[in-house]
Amino acid sequence: MVSKLQSKSSKDSMQGAAEFKNEIELLSRVHHKNVVGLVGFCFDQGEQMLIYEYMAGGNLRDCLTGRTGIKLDWRRRIMIALGSARGITYLHELVSPPIIHRDIKSTNILLDEKR
């Protein structure tokens, strides 16, 4: 089971092309099993989008609210919490310059097919 953190550029963001390019360059150097990998990006007609790897298990919120029909036992919950903590630690302490996520929530914690 791998839980991963993800984010995307806000539609309402006024982030310019130079800042978007810098974000792509920074995220392309992030490689950790508990952080989703950047697959690509789109910058077309003013739309900015980051494309991340697909996570078959969906997000943590859907699992916790029963939308997926999968019950998370305590062992799985602890593994998800540890995976999330490892991803955050990697971003804060091992990436140079450090990345502060600023939007950690259950919908941004993605689960692999093993949940």
Side-chain angles (χ1 to χ4, degrees):
M1 173 183 332
V2 178
S3 59
K4 298 191 179 193
L5 301 172
Q6 67 102 27
S7 67
K8 70 175 185 169
S9 182
S10 169
K11 184 177 181 183
D12 298 327
S13 174
M14 298 306 291
Q15 185 177 31
E19 291 85 1
F20 187 63
K21 179 180 179 262
N22 288 339
E23 186 172 2
I24 292 165
E25 289 173 357
L26 178 67
L27 293 175
S28 66
R29 294 184 287 138
V30 173
H31 303 287
H32 189 274
K33 73 177 190 171
N34 296 106
V35 180
V36 291
L38 181 66
V39 175
F41 65 93
C42 176
F43 185 64
D44 187 30
Q45 299 178 5
E47 290 289 326
Q48 299 175 356
M49 184 179 304
L50 300 173
I51 303 164
Y52 293 97
E53 67 182 295
Y54 174 72
M55 296 300 292
N59 68 54
L60 179 59
R61 180 173 186 241
D62 288 347
C63 284
L64 292 173
T65 59
R67 291 183 187 180
T68 63
I70 294 168
K71 300 288 182 187
L72 295 176
D73 60 25
W74 284 108
R75 182 186 167 282
R76 288 185 177 133
R77 290 172 187 239
I78 290 171
M79 295 305 293
I80 291 167
L82 287 172
S84 300
R86 287 181 183 120
I88 294 166
T89 299
Y90 170 76
L91 293 173
H92 288 190
E93 297 177 5
L94 300 174
V95 174
S96 181
I99 297 173
I100 307 302
H101 191 286
R102 297 185 305 151
D103 195 24
I104 297 171
K105 57 188 176 186
S106 59
T107 55
N108 285 345
I109 297 175
L110 304 179
L111 307 175
D112 67 9
E113 63 280 349
K114 300 173 193 171
R115 290 181 176 55

